[in-house]
């Protein structure tokens, strides 16, 4: 029997560690395993983290707190494909968490993620790498990094991937990126339009929508619109618009068309392709409100061109828009009003809208609750009434003026701007002006003058200027305190506001009372400053200054050195001497309070007797003498603290004596101001009376001039030969008159030795009282030459 032999055991290596299967039940263990040197452990850890992160946002935050982000950002570049794939999957899912996004900013992960978009990587890597970029690209900082690291090009290439998830993530990422203008241009330069247009035929609606929204965004770029035409983009868009199955894409397609219609070439192309008829037909037939609203917006965009407006008018677009005003959907009605505003820039269209009775429903829309709709309605009415009085009357007949005045107080600034514009257009008609003012438009406009919005101020000042044509409107403007804010707007840094304020002031200065209050508010000083400024001066400011000076002839004569033929001097006029523009001219009252000095005397005119200084006088007490009917009352020449004052004479000794003689004669009621007043100049009154008696009967104009010149010459000391001027001593005579009156003011009638400027002034003031204003010759201060 043989001997049993024992089998020897196989030798064991000391360095080999037997495989140890580990079953972990915590995420923390998996995160620790991300530091393992073993590829298999890394792959399994990444896979486990991916699955855990997919379960919810809280898990992603938990993983970040455990420190998973940093090792994952390294492992996406691992040599092993499986590790790399699983790490990209994990990081791609986690990147949607906001806290993870913040953490990744510190790790500069973008270059590594972009590198995973290369063709060498498999589809799964592409899917989760694009998913990661999609999440990160919503942040502006990541947009910049993706652009700088040239991530747009591989994303565009992946639009042609066979995997729908890769397509969806890529186009969504591109959509996020093109919110920034530099990426929009880059898409076109990288030939991104063809693959985007191709995605419009995708079987997945989400991909179609994302592609269309991306195209809508990039076609806001002019160069992209050119490329869009070149790749037959309109064919695809019009095809979508004409396909009912693509109704969910119609709204976006219309926005793309609206963008492209900014180019005249695109407009011509659409007409050639029959797109205009298709668009108008779509407006009238679609039942989708949002799509209809966008179609109308496209029409409005199309109507920006004058040539396009003519084409639309020929297609009877007014009828289509009028019908849309009756729609219940507010977005459609708003878009229709905006389109009416644009289309109405065509003159014929304004009349067509009126013939279609479109104005009344637009007026009714001013009652809408939506501020955007109210603003659009007012915008439409503003355009319809531009140079069209018949449309203005149509608004009035629809009781629109009341609603427009109410809209001036609208919280929506845009609504108030357009309402003021409509009222400005309507105010060209006297009847409509009265109606507008009856609805308290002036207080509402004055309230707008205190706004800080430039558009509001521009429209409000225009409306004030248009309504202030009537004396009643100017009185109301004064009563509601509108002059002061109007004057302050002259200081605006906005040129259009200054111009409109100047225009309004020039209109308001047509009556003396308003002009004086404007001067009180500082208008004269500000306008002088503007006139002296080469940058701020304009024709309206010059006109306003001229109008204010015409209302205050003493001031005008002092500042400019001349009076025109239409400037009729009255009692209370005075000549303080030449003063430079920009300097203040003292009032008579201020001069009267000065200590008698050696300066040039102020020459004053006041030929109105005391018994004619009347505040209230019955018609049957009025005098009928030729002298008194031609001489103007000092009351009409009131001056403020900054302008010559309104004078009411208290009379002098001669007056009192004459009154005593006539005490038994019936006298008119006298209301005398207790304030300072200019003394009565009996000598000047007698000169006017003599001129009326001796010069007025003359028929020959030359004889009138000559006779008046002789009268003035005799009153001022007669003719003086040139070689005897040094013996005339007129300056001494004037000084004696000043000290005799204890005043720097000398009444012109008291001057018996006058030089050329005294004689010129006397000639002017007598002629203004005696002769017809229409034959007054232009008279200039001799000192100004």
């Amino acid at each position: 029997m043989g001997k049993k032999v024992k089998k020897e055991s196989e030798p064991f290596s000391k360095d080999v560690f037997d495989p140890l299967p580990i079953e972990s039940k915590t995420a923390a263990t998996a995160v620790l395993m991300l530091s393992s040197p073993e590829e298999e452990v890394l792959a399994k850890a990444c896979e486990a983290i991916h699955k855990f992160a997919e379960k919810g946002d809280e898990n992603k935050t938990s993983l970040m707190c455990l420190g998973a982000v940093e090792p994952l950002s390294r492992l996406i570049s691992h040599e092993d494909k499986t590790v790399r794939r699983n790490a990209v999957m994990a990081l791609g899912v986690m990147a949607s968490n906001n806290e993870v996004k913040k953490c990744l900013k510190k790790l500069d992960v973008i270059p590594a993620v972009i590198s995973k978009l290369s063709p060498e990587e498999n589809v799964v890597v592409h899917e989760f790498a694009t998913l990661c970029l999609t999440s990160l690209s919503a942040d502006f900082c990541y947009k910049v990094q993706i652009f700088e690291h040239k991530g747009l090009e591989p994303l565009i290439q992946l639009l042609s991937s066979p995997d729908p998830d890769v397509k969806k993530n890529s186009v969504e990422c591109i959509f996020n990126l093109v919110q920034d203008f530099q990426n929009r241009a880059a898409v076109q330069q990288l030939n991104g339009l063809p693959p985007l247009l191709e995605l419009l035929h995708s079987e997945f609606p989400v991909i179609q929508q994302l592609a269309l929204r991306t195209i809508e965004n990039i076609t806001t770029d002019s160069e992209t619109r050119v490329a869009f035409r070149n790749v037959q983009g309109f064919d695809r868009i019009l095809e979508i618009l004409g396909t009912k199955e693509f109704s969910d894409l119609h709204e976006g397609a219309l926005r793309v068309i609206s963008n492209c219609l900014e180019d005249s070439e695109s407009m011509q192309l659409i007409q050639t392709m029959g797109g205009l008829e298709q668009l108008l037909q779509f407006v009238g037939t679609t039942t989708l409100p949002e799509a209809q609203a966008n179609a109308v917006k496209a029409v409005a965009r199309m109507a920006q061109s004058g040539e396009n407006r003519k084409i639309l008018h020929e297609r009877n677009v007014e009828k289509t828009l009028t019908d849309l005003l009756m729609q219940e959907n507010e977005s459609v009605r708003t878009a229709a009003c905006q389109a009416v505003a644009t289309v109405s820039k065509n003159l014929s269209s304004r009349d067509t809208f009126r013939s279609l009775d479109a104005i009344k429903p637009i007026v009714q829309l001013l009652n809408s609750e939506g501020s955007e709709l109210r603003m659009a309605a007012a915008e439409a009415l503003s355009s319809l009434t531009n140079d069209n009085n018949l449309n203005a009357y149509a608004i009035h007949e629809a009781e629109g003026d009341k609603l427009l005045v109410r809209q001036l107080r609208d919280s929506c600034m845009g609504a108030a701007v357009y309402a003021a514009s409509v009222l400005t257009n309507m105010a060209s008609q006297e009847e409509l002006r009265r109606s507008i003012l009856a609805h308290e438009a002036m207080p509402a406009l004055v309230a707008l003058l205190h706004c800080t919005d430039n558009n509001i101020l521009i429209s409000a000042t225009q409306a004030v200027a248009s309504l202030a044509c009537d004396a009643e409107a100017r009185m109301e403007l004064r009563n509601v305190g509108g002059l002061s804010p109007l004057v302050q707007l002259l200081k605006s840094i906005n040129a259009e506001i200054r111009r409109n304020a100047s225009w309004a002031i020039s209109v308001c200065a047509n009556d003396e009372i308003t002009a004086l209050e404007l001067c009180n508010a500082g208008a004269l000083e500000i306008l002088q400053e503007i006139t002296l400024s080469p940058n701020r001066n304009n024709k309206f400011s010059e006109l306003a200054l001229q109008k204010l000076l015409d209302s205050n002839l003493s001031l005008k004569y002092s500042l400019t050195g001349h009076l025109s033929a239409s400037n009729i001097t009255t009692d209370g006029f005075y000549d303080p001497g030449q003063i430079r523009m920009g300097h203040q001219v003292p009032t008579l009252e201020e001069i009267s309070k000065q200590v008698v000095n050696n300066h040039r005397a102020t020459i004053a005119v006041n030929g109105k007797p005391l018994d004619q200084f009347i505040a209230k006088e019955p018609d049957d007490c009025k005098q009928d003498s030729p002298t008194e009917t031609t001489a103007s009352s000092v009351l009409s020449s009131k001056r403020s603290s900054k302008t010559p004052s309104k004078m009411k004479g208290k009379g002098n000794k001669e007056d009192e004596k004459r009154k005593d003689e006539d005490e038994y004669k019936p006298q008119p009621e006298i209301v005398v101001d207790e304030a300072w007043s200019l003394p009565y100049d009996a000598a000047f009154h007698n000169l006017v009376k003599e001129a009326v008696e001796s010069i007025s009967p003359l028929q020959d104009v030359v004889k009138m001039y000559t006779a008046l010149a002789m009268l003035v010459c005799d009153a001022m000391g007669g003719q003086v030969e040139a070689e005897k001027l040094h013996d005339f001593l007129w300056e001494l005579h004037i000084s004696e008159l000043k000290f005799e009156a204890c005043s720097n003011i000398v009444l012109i009638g008291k001057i018996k030795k006058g030089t050329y400027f005294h004689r010129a002034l006397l000639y002017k003031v007598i002629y203004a009282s005696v002769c017809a204003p229409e034959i007054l010759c232009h008279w200039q201060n001799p000192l100004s030459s």
Side-chain angles (χ1 to χ4, degrees), residues 200-373:
L200 296 177
H201 294 290
S202 173
E203 59 182 306
F204 300 98
V206 64
I207 294 178
Q208 290 178 309
Q209 288 284 0
L210 286 168
L212 191 57
R213 291 170 65 190
T214 304
I215 293 170
E216 175 194 344
N217 205 304
I218 63 177
T219 48
T220 58
D221 176 70
S222 57
E223 292 184 5
T224 302
R225 290 195 292 270
V226 175
F228 184 76
R229 293 196 300 271
N230 294 337
V231 296
Q232 289 76 46
F234 278 115
D235 291 336
R236 302 284 181 90
I237 296 299
L238 291 176
E239 180 185 345
I240 289 173
L241 207 57
T243 306
K244 291 184 179 180
E245 289 75 14
F246 290 157
S247 60
D248 58 325
L249 301 178
H250 287 169
E251 185 180 342
L254 288 165
R255 286 196 293 265
V256 173
I257 291 176
S258 183
N259 287 342
C260 294
L261 288 176
E262 287 192 7
D263 298 329
S264 57
E265 294 85 355
S266 297
M267 179 65 192
Q268 293 172 0
L269 181 60
I270 285 182
Q271 291 179 38
T272 304
M273 299 170 62
L276 180 56
E277 288 79 5
Q278 185 177 348
L279 181 60
L280 292 175
Q281 182 181 5
F282 183 86
V283 170
T285 58
T286 184
T287 57
L288 299 172
E290 288 303 318
Q292 196 170 43
N294 280 290
V296 177
K297 289 177 183 177
V299 171
R301 185 70 65 89
M302 192 182 302
Q304 295 291 342
S305 162
E307 186 177 340
N308 293 346
R309 287 194 291 270
K310 292 179 181 178
I311 296 171
L312 289 168
H313 177 63
E314 292 169 359
R315 301 290 195 282
N316 199 23
V317 69
E318 296 89 353
K319 178 66 170 65
T320 302
L321 293 176
T322 301
D323 292 339
L324 292 176
L325 294 172
M326 314 298 180
Q327 292 282 343
E328 293 183 3
N329 184 272
E330 188 170 304
S331 297
V332 174
R333 288 184 294 178
T334 301
C337 286
Q338 292 168 341
V340 169
T342 309
V343 171
S344 294
K345 292 177 182 178
N346 179 276
L347 296 176
S348 300
S349 293
R350 294 176 206 168
D351 296 328
T352 303
F353 279 120
R354 186 180 65 256
S355 65
L356 292 169
D357 294 326
I359 292 178
K360 187 173 182 179
I362 296 176
V363 168
Q364 292 172 345
L365 291 177
L366 295 174
N367 282 315
S368 302
E369 293 184 3
S371 60
E372 187 177 357
L373 179 54

Side-chain angles (χ1 to χ4, degrees), residues 50-63:
H50 164 240
K51 291 179 179 179
F52 182 70
E54 279 188 321
K55 294 178 181 179
D57 209 52
E58 291 183 0
N59 291 355
K60 297 168 189 173
T61 304
S62 177
L63 287 167

Side-chain angles (χ1 to χ4, degrees), residues 424-675:
T424 300
N425 295 339
M426 295 177 68
S428 61
Q429 305 301 308
E430 184 178 357
E431 178 185 353
L432 302 186
R433 275 202 307 275
R434 289 199 301 267
S435 176
I436 292 169
L437 291 169
H439 294 301
E440 300 184 348
M442 198 60 81
L445 287 169
V446 170
L448 293 180
L449 296 180
H450 295 279
C451 292
T452 56
D453 183 87
N454 284 348
N455 292 324
I456 285 283
L457 293 173
I458 290 169
S459 294
T461 47
Q462 281 180 334
V464 169
S466 300
L467 290 170
C469 297
D470 301 322
E472 295 82 359
R474 292 192 289 272
M475 180 177 68
E476 186 177 9
L477 181 62
R478 295 195 305 270
N479 293 340
V480 297
L483 297 182
S484 181
L486 192 61
V487 169
Q488 292 305 310
L489 290 177
L490 292 172
K491 300 178 181 179
S492 173
I493 60 174
N494 183 286
E496 193 168 0
I497 293 174
R498 287 200 309 273
R499 187 194 68 178
N500 289 349
S502 299
W503 173 30
I505 288 173
S506 70
V507 174
C508 291
N510 280 323
D511 68 64
E512 186 175 4
I513 296 176
T514 308
L516 292 174
E517 289 202 20
L518 285 168
C519 291
N520 279 341
L524 206 55
E525 289 82 353
I526 299 173
L527 285 169
Q528 289 179 60
E529 292 177 9
I530 293 175
T531 303
L532 295 173
S533 169
N535 297 325
R536 293 187 296 156
N537 190 30
N538 59 76
K539 292 182 179 179
F540 286 95
S541 62
E542 292 175 0
L543 176 62
L545 179 60
Q546 187 63 41
K547 284 291 188 70
L548 287 179
L549 290 176
D550 285 344
S551 72
N552 191 328
L553 297 182
S554 300
L555 199 61
K556 179 178 181 180
Y557 184 41
S558 178
L559 292 173
T560 66
H562 73 273
L563 298 177
S564 67
S566 60
N567 296 145
I568 309 301
T569 58
T570 60
D571 295 305
F573 176 87
Y574 68 104
D575 172 20
Q578 192 87 34
I579 294 179
R580 289 184 180 182
M581 189 73 72
H583 291 70
Q584 186 173 350
V585 178
T587 66
L588 273 174
E589 185 172 357
E590 290 171 344
I591 296 172
S592 72
K593 295 177 181 178
Q594 295 174 356
V595 177
V596 179
N597 53 48
N598 294 324
H599 299 160
R600 181 186 185 278
T602 296
I603 312 301
V605 178
N606 182 22
K608 198 72 169 177
L610 178 62
D611 61 355
Q612 294 183 34
F613 281 80
I614 302 165
K616 296 178 181 178
E617 177 179 312
D619 291 340
D620 56 0
C621 293
K622 293 182 179 177
Q623 304 295 320
D624 295 323
S625 70
T627 304
E628 292 164 359
T629 54
T630 54
S632 302
S633 169
V634 180
L635 290 174
S636 64
S637 304
K638 181 176 180 182
R639 296 298 178 260
S640 69
S641 61
K642 293 186 180 180
T643 55
S645 304
K646 178 176 180 180
M647 309 305 173
K648 295 184 179 179
K650 293 182 181 178
N652 54 24
K653 294 181 179 179
E654 294 180 11
D655 301 324
E656 306 234 351
K657 181 179 180 180
R658 182 169 52 80
K659 287 176 69 179
D660 289 339
E661 294 172 355
D662 298 337
E663 62 182 342
Y664 295 108
K665 295 181 181 180
Q667 297 292 330
E669 179 185 356
I670 300 175
V671 181
V672 181
D673 194 342
E674 294 183 358

